[in-house]
Amino acid sequence: MSTQTNSGSRPAYPREFPKGFYWGSATAAYQVEGAWNEDGKGPSIWDTYAHTPGKIKNGDTGDVANDHYHRYKDDVALMKRDIGANAYRFSISWPRIFPRGTGQANPKGLDFYERLVDELLKAEIAPFATLYHWDLPQALQDRGGWQSRETAQAFGDYAGYVAEKLSDRVRHFFTINEFRSFVDMGYHGKEVPIPGGMMNISLAPGLKLAAGELNQVRHHAVLAHGMAVQAIRARGKRETKVGPAEVIECSVPLIEAPEHIEAAQRATREANAPFLTVMLEGKYTETYLEDAGADAPKFTDEELRIIGSPLDFVGINVYRPITYVLASDQARGWREIPFAKAHPTMFNHWLTVSPEVMYWAPKLVQSLWNAKELYITENGCASDDVPTPDGKIYDTDRIMFLRACLAELQRATAEGVPVMGYFHWSTMDNLEWANGFGDRFGLVRVDFKTQQRVPKLSASLFRECAVGNHVA
Ligand code: NOJ
């Protein structure tokens, strides 16, 4: 088939996505909203962390951030006009809804999300709401945070309340964003492999728990997810769909041959044992429990049943492989191949350029767990995005990264992997947690002094892909 139209001026894209594909961008409450203490909102662990000197680069905070709380109408208009999105993934701030985590709800907090959702629907942008993107109410942290099983129960109650109020307009809910990141980086600090070494990342609340305690926190996080799934089913409208948004630790076969693919599949199942694997299988793998030994989490069969509650879809954040693998005759059947020292990375050293993960991550979720619906809930990269004298941002690096990732995703959908949508991280530059405002992940540049928004060239690429439903 020819890839050129008759006029020759424009390729006739064969790289199409399935009909009805969702093209969206994503943000999270603490990273964009600001208004940290307005309209009855309670403090979250991120307010506390950011207000503690030395925790966030340059003393940045989310007190104002993108002021999205007040500028949401303009931001929705921008998603429509400049990004061409038909979906938006945002998160709901738990302490806006329940300022103390449980108890009396705060109607003004809910009101903000009602207005945001109405604005999105008016613009024909489908709202996808994440219920937890790391901003735990400080009041719950003071009562033990995720170390306490009560936090899981409180999360279930909060999720049920939100579903009851919003599911007449919000069809898709994600329970928790990146279980692994907020647990491992927040409750211990995590060593992340980068070409030629490791780097350590820490997040709020900035604890350093022992191995057994950390496994118990992981268990409470997946239990909270299961409780939320059940509460949403009980209190939301019947058509409501729910699933997690987990950062999958995907092992990518370095060579695409059956034995290496098989090795990648096994490695991926084990790497995700405390999170995706237990949510999708309703049990911890034997290897995980054996390796943890006396530090294994304490759990009951009933809790496993809750954790394994049936899902409507699986959301995965996909940035890079956790490792490359090859088959091996070692006991577990695979061998990890570290990134070569000169392996290219994006602006962030943890972000190795490995777009094939965008094919393998959904493919392995489908083959391992027979997932019937999948979403790419995040993918993207930061850059320095310096404006040129004409005031524009020619982010060639992001364009290369985005197009390469989309091409691999399209390879998966063309083979029948049921990916229903793609959310780019992020709609606009925002507070990149402990790295502050320096890591710009947006399709739209934000001047944090003036709050001026300027679409980058990558927004034009995204728009072209979204409107045409293909890789442009
Ligand atoms: C993961 C997180 O969900 C999001 O909050 C973060 O900003 C991006 N990835 C980029 O690191």
Side-chain angles (χ1 to χ4, degrees):
M1 189 170 94
S2 159
T3 55
Q4 296 294 314
T5 56
N6 290 340
S7 74
S9 60
R10 191 182 159 87
Y13 294 95
R15 294 193 292 174
E16 282 185 348
F17 283 86
K19 267 209 178 66
F21 196 76
Y22 286 106
W23 288 90
S25 61
T27 64
Y30 186 71
Q31 295 179 271
V32 299
E33 283 178 4
W36 77 282
N37 59 359
E38 272 182 54
D39 292 336
K41 176 182 168 292
S44 79
I45 55 171
W46 271 95
D47 295 311
T48 309
Y49 196 69
H51 293 159
T52 308
K55 295 294 186 196
I56 298 199
K57 211 163 160 182
N58 302 321
D60 291 341
T61 73
D63 291 3
V64 177
N66 297 46
D67 196 27
H68 180 64
Y69 191 77
H70 299 112
R71 295 169 192 262
Y72 71 92
K73 284 192 179 177
D74 291 346
D75 290 337
V76 171
L78 175 152
M79 286 173 217
K80 180 85 186 163
R81 186 187 58 234
D82 299 309
I83 298 180
N86 62 12
Y88 176 48
R89 175 177 174 239
F90 60 96
S91 86
I92 295 180
S93 158
W94 183 352
R96 267 194 211 291
I97 310 289
F98 289 101
R100 300 195 47 75
T102 56
Q104 197 61 36
N106 169 34
K108 284 193 172 166
L110 184 73
D111 188 56
F112 168 66
Y113 298 104
E114 305 232 28
R115 285 182 280 122
L116 172 63
V117 165
D118 290 343
E119 194 67 21
L120 289 164
L121 293 174
K122 228 166 50 190
E124 297 179 330
I125 296 177
F128 285 69
T130 307
L131 290 159
Y132 186 71
H133 203 125
W134 308 353
D135 44 355
L136 185 72
Q138 181 62 43
L140 290 183
Q141 182 62 37
D142 296 342
R143 304 209 304 260
W146 288 104
Q147 287 167 266
S148 161
R149 191 184 188 283
E150 277 173 34
T151 296
Q153 186 61 59
F155 180 67
D157 294 345
Y158 148 70
Y161 176 84
V162 173
E164 191 176 294
K165 300 288 181 194
L166 291 182
S167 64
D168 57 337
R169 284 156 288 170
V170 177
R171 175 68 62 87
H172 299 86
F173 286 94
F174 300 108
T175 53
I176 292 181
N177 176 72
E178 293 205 356
F179 297 69
R180 185 181 303 267
S181 306
F182 91 84
V183 174
D184 290 15
M185 295 171 181
Y187 289 78
H188 187 266
K190 185 169 156 72
E191 291 287 311
V192 178
I194 57 173
M198 301 293 268
M199 70 185 280
N200 188 280
I201 306 183
S202 290
L203 299 173
L207 302 184
K208 200 153 180 52
L209 301 185
E213 295 172 306
L214 191 64
N215 280 332
Q216 202 59 39
V217 170
R218 291 170 170 155
H219 178 69
H220 291 156
V222 286
L223 180 61
H225 153 86
M227 288 177 164
V229 172
Q230 297 198 348
I232 291 168
R233 301 246 187 269
R235 296 172 68 181
K237 293 262 178 275
R238 230 162 51 91
E239 323 74 72
T240 311
K241 292 191 166 200
V242 58
E246 170 59 339
V247 58
I248 182 170
E249 294 223 327
C250 182
S251 297
V252 164
L254 199 45
I255 296 171
E256 295 191 4
E259 67 273 28
H260 303 307
I261 294 171
E262 158 95 27
Q265 187 157 318
R266 285 181 191 210
T268 299
R269 178 168 176 265
E270 283 308 336
N272 293 280
F275 301 111
L276 273 181
T277 308
V278 70
M279 288 188 269
L280 294 166
E281 297 184 13
K283 58 180 189 322
Y284 289 111
T285 66
E286 278 170 27
T287 310
Y288 171 67
L289 294 177
E290 264 166 39
D291 286 355
D295 291 324
K298 314 271 173 291
F299 58 88
T300 64
D301 288 348
E302 174 56 12
E303 287 175 349
L304 288 183
R305 266 193 296 279
I306 298 171
I307 294 167
S309 297
L311 302 173
D312 298 296
F313 55 76
V314 181
I316 45 174
N317 291 3
V318 182
Y319 287 85
R320 55 158 209 163
I322 190 64
T323 183
Y324 287 114
V325 291
L326 290 176
S328 127
D329 46 18
Q330 286 168 6
R332 290 184 180 171
W334 74 85
R335 198 174 124 217
E336 297 188 3
I337 310 297
F339 294 104
K341 204 162 171 209
H343 191 102
T345 67
M346 301 302 291
F347 179 80
N348 293 110
H349 287 307
W350 57 264
L351 190 43
T352 49
V353 181
S354 324
E356 64 278 18
V357 69
M358 198 52 119
Y359 169 80
W360 283 108
K363 180 95 179 160
L364 293 178
V365 171
Q366 182 196 30
S367 61
L368 276 168
W369 299 299
N370 197 20
K372 296 282 187 277
E373 282 192 24
L374 277 143
Y375 285 93
I376 303 301
T377 34
E378 280 184 35
N379 164 254
C381 64
S383 188
D384 55 354
D385 292 328
V386 181
T388 46
D390 61 0
K392 300 219 162 76
I393 299 97
Y394 299 101
D395 49 345
T396 58
D397 49 352
R398 185 173 292 103
I399 286 177
M400 174 278 292
F401 185 85
L402 172 57
R403 186 171 20 235
C405 288
L406 288 177
E408 291 287 341
L409 182 61
Q410 195 274 341
R411 171 158 80 109
T413 58
E415 280 181 19
V417 181
V419 180
M420 321 304 278
Y422 167 92
F423 293 90
H424 191 81
W425 185 271
S426 175
T427 312
M428 51 188 162
D429 299 340
N430 58 52
L431 183 95
E432 178 57 9
W433 306 111
N435 274 0
F437 293 111
D439 290 9
R440 296 177 171 275
F441 273 90
L443 293 170
V444 173
R445 188 177 202 279
V446 177
D447 179 329
F448 291 100
K449 289 205 182 77
T450 62
Q451 291 296 344
Q452 194 199 12
R453 274 84 159 133
V454 178
K456 304 174 191 174
L457 197 60
S458 55
S460 307
L461 172 68
F462 187 94
R463 191 172 198 294
E464 197 65 36
C465 296
V467 171
N469 200 33
H470 57 213
V471 185

